Structure formats: structure tokens, C-alpha cells
Amino acid sequence: MESEKTPAIRQQTSTEVAISQPLQSSVKACLSLLRSQRLSKHKDTEEICPRALALRSNNRPAEISTIYNLALQAELVQCKDLSLLNEVKETPTFSILEQAWGLEYVSRVLIKTHLLGVSNFVGVKTKMEDWQMDELCDQIAMEYDDLNVLEFICFCSRLRSGKYETFYGTIDPAQITKSLAEFYEDRRDDINRAWAKAEKERQDREWEESRKNAISFEEYWESLSDEEKEKSGYMKLLFAKKEHEDKRKKRGVGKVVKDILLGG
């Protein structure tokens, strides 16, 4: 009986290496470009970098994980308006955290910790494979890098409550990504609603201020010099017309009719 032979590993020829290197370089360049565009997608790079540097100077990754811990999933179930979490400007986004400590911390530590917390809470029998969980976390970190940490924890809280997809015995990565897309739409709607409300209140305040500071036409006309009144022929006509209407109101409708009939 012949012994089994281990197949020899084929080595790349120098020609194949020469061809593959430019291709690998082009892929790396493409990924580098996509990353730079993603990090500056929502805010100006010059604004993000100081925040990331300050975060890295004043904190350690372990401290961030301690602050934004699993217990918050139970606490944030009371959040009904996502614009409130978005307005907590001190809360770092995934993008800022990535600049401070790299994508691996955001994905494999922060996001993974909270998704594992959801998985343990819902008590599914079949959990995701490690490679599925890792790739899911990477995708979330890159696709939703404008989410801040509190918003993502609130998403996990809503997953636990069954607000989006329901898990039956297993957690499918596609269920998580579909649920996160729905959550992102809810977040956008809440932010837009809050903005519209604030804008209306601002316009109402401005209108009230302008009404208080407004002067009547008579006051404006009297404030003009004789020369300005002469130059403003149209305004003079308006003022004469208004004076005539005021006289008609004072004399009464009956007197006006009488004047018309008698030619007064």
C-alpha cells in the first residue's frame, strides 16, 4: 500500500508576483481612499482630529469601555426620542473613537461587547460563529461611523425589547444589520423632527421680536424729512390714500353713501 503523498505547495513565479503586486497596491489604495472619505464624511477632518486627540490624551480605552458599559442597555430602554442622545455632544462617535484608538477597538471591543450582551440576554440556542460576529462588528463600525456610543447602546436596548427583528433560536447577522437600518431611520426622523420644532420656535421668537420693535406707517412717515417725503412719491401716495381711508372710517359708512348720492 502506497503511502499518501502530501501535495507540494505551488510557489508563485516571478511573473505572477510582478503582476499581483500592482493589483494588491491598487486594492490597498482604494481601501485607503474609502477610509479617508468615510472618516471625513460627516464632519470636517480638522474638527474631528482635535477631539480624537483630546479623547486619547485624557482617557484610556478601558475607561471608555467602563463608562459605556452593558448596564446602560437596561437604562436606555426609557429613551423614546433619539434626538436627545444625538444632542449629547460629548459622547464620541465611532469615527472619533476609530481615530483615537483604531477600528479594532471600536469593532472588536466596544461593538462586540454590546452585541454579545444582546445575544446573552435574548438567550438564543445557536449563537453566531466568531468570524460572523467579527465581520458584523467591522461592518457596523464602518457603515454607521456617525453613530455615537449612546445611540448604539440604545439600539442594542431596543433589540433586547424586540422592537425590530425577533430572534427565534438563532441570531442572524442579516437580522442585526436590517434592524440597525430601521433604527437609523428612526434616529433620522427624530433628529429632523427636533430640528423642525427648534426652527419653528426660533422663527416665532424672531417674529415676536420684530413685532415688538415695529412702528406704524404714520410714525415712519412722520420720521421722514420734508425733502425725503417729496422724493418718495410712491410712499406719499400711499400715505394720502391711508389718510383718505381713515377719514372715511371716521365719518361712517352712512355719511360716505350720502356724499356719493349728493355729490359731497
Side-chain angles (χ1 to χ4, degrees):
M1 183 176 178
E2 295 183 4
S3 59
E4 294 183 358
K5 294 182 180 180
T6 303
I9 299 176
R10 178 177 175 274
Q11 299 294 323
Q12 283 186 309
T13 66
S14 59
T15 303
E16 290 173 329
V17 171
I19 294 174
S20 66
Q21 283 179 344
L23 295 178
Q24 291 173 350
S25 298
S26 66
V27 171
K28 288 180 180 179
C30 178
L31 294 178
S32 178
L33 175 63
L34 291 175
R35 180 178 182 276
S36 64
Q37 289 179 341
R38 177 170 56 81
L39 292 178
S40 61
K41 175 174 56 177
H42 304 284
K43 295 182 179 178
D44 185 73
T45 305
E46 293 181 359
E47 180 187 347
I48 293 177
C49 289
R51 290 191 62 190
L53 289 172
L55 193 68
R56 188 167 59 189
S57 299
N58 300 322
N59 302 273
R60 292 179 300 172
E63 293 172 334
I64 299 297
S65 300
T66 300
I67 293 169
Y68 301 105
N69 57 68
L70 284 173
L72 286 175
Q73 290 190 12
E75 295 289 341
L76 291 180
V77 73
Q78 36 191 337
C79 179
K80 307 301 179 186
D81 184 355
L82 294 171
S83 68
L84 298 176
L85 301 182
N86 184 259
E87 290 169 1
V88 184
K89 298 305 180 185
E90 295 79 11
T91 307
T93 62
F94 288 161
S95 174
I96 293 173
L97 287 171
E98 180 181 347
Q99 286 202 9
W101 292 295
L103 181 64
E104 187 173 355
Y105 169 72
V106 179
S107 170
R108 305 297 173 86
V109 178
L110 205 59
I111 293 176
K112 188 173 184 177
T113 296
H114 282 280
L115 287 183
L116 286 174
V118 172
S119 179
N120 293 332
F121 179 85
V122 297
V124 292
K125 294 181 179 179
T126 306
K127 301 184 183 297
M128 277 187 277
E129 299 287 342
D130 288 341
W131 68 269
Q132 287 179 304
M133 176 64 80
D134 289 343
E135 291 195 7
L136 172 62
C137 294
D138 290 347
Q139 183 168 334
I140 290 173
M142 291 186 287
E143 189 172 357
Y144 296 95
D145 57 349
D146 60 325
L147 284 179
N148 70 37
V149 187
L150 286 178
E151 289 171 328
F152 180 73
I153 297 175
C154 185
F155 163 67
C156 292
S157 178
R158 292 186 176 188
L159 276 182
R160 288 167 38 144
S161 299
K163 179 174 175 60
Y164 302 112
E165 294 289 313
T166 303
F167 306 110
Y168 296 103
T170 184
I171 292 184
D172 184 351
Q175 288 179 300
I176 302 292
T177 54
K178 183 179 178 182
S179 297
L180 187 50
E182 292 181 41
F183 173 85
Y184 198 78
E185 289 184 9
D186 289 344
R187 169 183 176 270
R188 180 197 59 202
D189 292 343
D190 286 351
I191 291 173
N192 288 342
R193 193 179 301 111
W195 180 88
K197 181 182 177 183
E199 183 65 13
K200 184 179 183 304
E201 291 174 351
R202 183 189 65 80
Q203 291 177 352
D204 289 346
R205 285 194 304 270
E206 288 183 355
W207 169 253
E208 184 62 25
E209 244 354 90
S210 64
R211 190 187 66 79
K212 288 179 182 178
N213 298 327
I215 61 173
S216 66
F217 181 78
E218 291 85 351
E219 290 174 321
Y220 167 73
W221 183 255
E222 291 303 322
S223 70
L224 298 177
S225 66
D226 292 338
E227 185 179 355
E228 288 174 325
K229 289 178 182 178
E230 286 299 324
K231 288 182 179 179
S232 181
Y234 179 69
M235 295 295 291
K236 188 176 181 180
L237 179 63
L238 285 180
F239 185 70
K241 183 179 179 182
K242 191 172 189 315
E243 275 190 322
H244 180 65
E245 289 176 352
D246 290 344
K247 286 179 181 178
R248 291 181 64 184
K249 290 178 182 178
K250 290 179 181 177
R251 291 162 64 191
V253 177
K255 185 69 171 66
V256 173
V257 173
K258 184 179 177 181
D259 287 346
I260 294 174
L261 294 176
L262 299 179

Short mmCIF file of all heavy atoms in Angstrom, two decimals, residues 4 47 51 58-59 68 72 84 89 97 115 133 135 170 174 180 184 191 194 197 236 252:
data_model
loop_
_atom_site.label_atom_id
_atom_site.label_comp_id
_atom_site.label_asym_id
_atom_site.label_seq_id
_atom_site.Cartn_x
_atom_site.Cartn_y
_atom_site.Cartn_z
N GLU A 4 0.34 7.90 1.42
CA GLU A 4 -0.22 9.12 0.82
C GLU A 4 0.86 10.20 0.76
O GLU A 4 1.63 10.38 1.70
CB GLU A 4 -1.41 9.64 1.66
CG GLU A 4 -2.59 8.68 1.63
CD GLU A 4 -3.76 9.24 2.40
OE1 GLU A 4 -3.62 10.34 2.97
OE2 GLU A 4 -4.81 8.60 2.43
N GLU A 47 -11.94 69.35 12.42
CA GLU A 47 -12.72 69.39 13.65
C GLU A 47 -12.63 68.07 14.40
O GLU A 47 -12.61 68.05 15.63
CB GLU A 47 -14.19 69.69 13.31
CG GLU A 47 -15.10 69.74 14.53
CD GLU A 47 -16.55 69.88 14.16
OE1 GLU A 47 -16.83 70.17 12.98
OE2 GLU A 47 -17.41 69.68 15.05
N ARG A 51 -10.66 66.48 18.63
CA ARG A 51 -11.50 65.73 19.57
C ARG A 51 -10.94 64.34 19.82
O ARG A 51 -10.91 63.85 20.94
CB ARG A 51 -12.93 65.63 19.04
CG ARG A 51 -13.71 66.92 19.04
CD ARG A 51 -15.17 66.69 18.76
NE ARG A 51 -15.77 65.85 19.79
CZ ARG A 51 -16.98 65.33 19.70
NH1 ARG A 51 -17.70 65.53 18.61
NH2 ARG A 51 -17.46 64.58 20.67
N ASN A 58 -6.79 62.17 27.32
CA ASN A 58 -7.43 62.22 28.65
C ASN A 58 -8.06 60.91 29.10
O ASN A 58 -8.55 60.82 30.23
CB ASN A 58 -8.51 63.32 28.65
CG ASN A 58 -7.94 64.68 28.34
OD1 ASN A 58 -6.84 65.01 28.77
ND2 ASN A 58 -8.67 65.48 27.57
N ASN A 59 -8.10 59.91 28.22
CA ASN A 59 -8.76 58.65 28.56
C ASN A 59 -7.96 57.47 28.03
O ASN A 59 -7.11 57.62 27.15
CB ASN A 59 -10.17 58.59 27.97
CG ASN A 59 -11.05 59.72 28.41
OD1 ASN A 59 -11.70 59.67 29.44
ND2 ASN A 59 -11.08 60.79 27.61
N TYR A 68 -19.18 53.31 29.11
CA TYR A 68 -20.27 52.87 28.23
C TYR A 68 -20.44 51.35 28.37
O TYR A 68 -20.21 50.59 27.43
CB TYR A 68 -19.99 53.28 26.79
CG TYR A 68 -19.84 54.78 26.64
CD1 TYR A 68 -18.58 55.35 26.46
CD2 TYR A 68 -20.94 55.62 26.71
CE1 TYR A 68 -18.44 56.73 26.35
CE2 TYR A 68 -20.81 56.99 26.61
CZ TYR A 68 -19.56 57.55 26.43
OH TYR A 68 -19.42 58.91 26.31
N LEU A 72 -25.90 50.01 30.69
CA LEU A 72 -26.63 51.09 30.02
C LEU A 72 -27.71 50.57 29.08
O LEU A 72 -28.66 51.29 28.75
CB LEU A 72 -25.65 51.97 29.23
CG LEU A 72 -24.76 52.91 30.06
CD1 LEU A 72 -23.76 53.61 29.16
CD2 LEU A 72 -25.61 53.93 30.79
N LEU A 84 -32.43 63.18 21.59
CA LEU A 84 -31.86 63.52 22.90
C LEU A 84 -30.46 62.95 23.04
O LEU A 84 -29.55 63.61 23.57
CB LEU A 84 -32.76 63.00 24.02
CG LEU A 84 -34.19 63.57 24.07
CD1 LEU A 84 -34.98 62.89 25.18
CD2 LEU A 84 -34.16 65.08 24.28
N LYS A 89 -23.35 66.07 22.92
CA LYS A 89 -22.21 66.28 22.03
C LYS A 89 -20.90 65.72 22.60
O LYS A 89 -19.96 65.48 21.86
CB LYS A 89 -22.04 67.78 21.74
CG LYS A 89 -23.24 68.39 21.01
CD LYS A 89 -23.57 67.64 19.73
CE LYS A 89 -24.76 68.26 19.00
NZ LYS A 89 -25.17 67.47 17.81
N LEU A 97 -13.73 57.61 17.82
CA LEU A 97 -13.06 56.53 18.55
C LEU A 97 -12.07 55.80 17.65
O LEU A 97 -10.99 55.40 18.10
CB LEU A 97 -14.10 55.55 19.10
CG LEU A 97 -14.93 56.05 20.28
CD1 LEU A 97 -16.05 55.08 20.59
CD2 LEU A 97 -14.06 56.26 21.52
N LEU A 115 -23.01 43.62 21.46
CA LEU A 115 -23.78 42.62 20.70
C LEU A 115 -23.77 41.27 21.42
O LEU A 115 -24.77 40.54 21.39
CB LEU A 115 -23.20 42.48 19.29
CG LEU A 115 -23.49 43.65 18.33
CD1 LEU A 115 -22.92 43.34 16.94
CD2 LEU A 115 -24.98 43.94 18.24
N MET A 133 -19.45 37.15 13.89
CA MET A 133 -19.54 38.26 14.83
C MET A 133 -18.50 39.33 14.52
O MET A 133 -18.79 40.52 14.50
CB MET A 133 -19.38 37.75 16.26
CG MET A 133 -19.36 38.85 17.31
SD MET A 133 -20.92 39.76 17.43
CE MET A 133 -21.89 38.61 18.44
N GLU A 135 -16.91 39.98 11.65
CA GLU A 135 -17.18 40.70 10.40
C GLU A 135 -18.40 41.60 10.53
O GLU A 135 -18.45 42.69 9.95
CB GLU A 135 -17.37 39.71 9.25
CG GLU A 135 -16.08 38.98 8.87
CD GLU A 135 -16.16 38.29 7.53
OE1 GLU A 135 -17.17 38.47 6.82
OE2 GLU A 135 -15.21 37.55 7.19
N THR A 170 -31.90 31.56 17.04
CA THR A 170 -30.57 31.90 16.50
C THR A 170 -30.52 33.37 16.16
O THR A 170 -31.56 34.01 15.95
CB THR A 170 -30.28 31.07 15.23
OG1 THR A 170 -28.95 31.34 14.79
CG2 THR A 170 -31.26 31.38 14.12
N ALA A 174 -27.73 39.16 9.35
CA ALA A 174 -28.59 39.98 8.49
C ALA A 174 -29.74 40.59 9.29
O ALA A 174 -30.21 41.69 8.97
CB ALA A 174 -29.14 39.14 7.34
N LEU A 180 -30.62 47.51 12.41
CA LEU A 180 -29.85 48.74 12.57
C LEU A 180 -30.25 49.76 11.50
O LEU A 180 -30.28 50.97 11.77
CB LEU A 180 -28.36 48.44 12.49
CG LEU A 180 -27.41 49.61 12.79
CD1 LEU A 180 -27.77 50.31 14.09
CD2 LEU A 180 -25.96 49.12 12.83
N TYR A 184 -31.65 53.41 12.33
CA TYR A 184 -31.02 54.60 11.75
C TYR A 184 -32.07 55.53 11.15
O TYR A 184 -31.95 56.75 11.24
CB TYR A 184 -30.01 54.17 10.69
CG TYR A 184 -29.00 55.22 10.33
CD1 TYR A 184 -27.90 55.47 11.16
CD2 TYR A 184 -29.13 55.97 9.17
CE1 TYR A 184 -26.96 56.45 10.84
CE2 TYR A 184 -28.20 56.94 8.83
CZ TYR A 184 -27.12 57.17 9.67
OH TYR A 184 -26.21 58.13 9.33
N ILE A 191 -34.35 63.24 14.79
CA ILE A 191 -33.46 64.40 14.68
C ILE A 191 -34.12 65.48 13.82
O ILE A 191 -34.11 66.67 14.17
CB ILE A 191 -32.09 64.00 14.11
CG1 ILE A 191 -31.33 63.13 15.12
CG2 ILE A 191 -31.27 65.23 13.75
CD1 ILE A 191 -30.04 62.54 14.58
N ALA A 194 -36.97 67.13 15.75
CA ALA A 194 -36.46 68.05 16.77
C ALA A 194 -35.93 69.33 16.13
O ALA A 194 -36.14 70.43 16.66
CB ALA A 194 -35.36 67.37 17.58
N LYS A 197 -38.89 71.52 15.03
CA LYS A 197 -39.51 72.16 16.19
C LYS A 197 -38.68 73.34 16.67
O LYS A 197 -39.20 74.43 16.95
CB LYS A 197 -39.67 71.14 17.32
CG LYS A 197 -40.32 71.70 18.57
CD LYS A 197 -40.40 70.65 19.67
CE LYS A 197 -40.99 71.24 20.95
NZ LYS A 197 -41.02 70.25 22.05
N LYS A 236 -45.64 108.78 -0.60
CA LYS A 236 -46.55 109.90 -0.38
C LYS A 236 -47.96 109.55 -0.83
O LYS A 236 -48.96 109.88 -0.16
CB LYS A 236 -46.03 111.11 -1.17
CG LYS A 236 -46.79 112.40 -0.88
CD LYS A 236 -46.13 113.55 -1.63
CE LYS A 236 -46.87 114.85 -1.33
NZ LYS A 236 -46.25 116.00 -2.05
N GLY A 252 -67.98 107.50 8.89
CA GLY A 252 -69.02 106.47 8.91
C GLY A 252 -69.51 106.13 7.52
O GLY A 252 -69.44 106.93 6.60
#
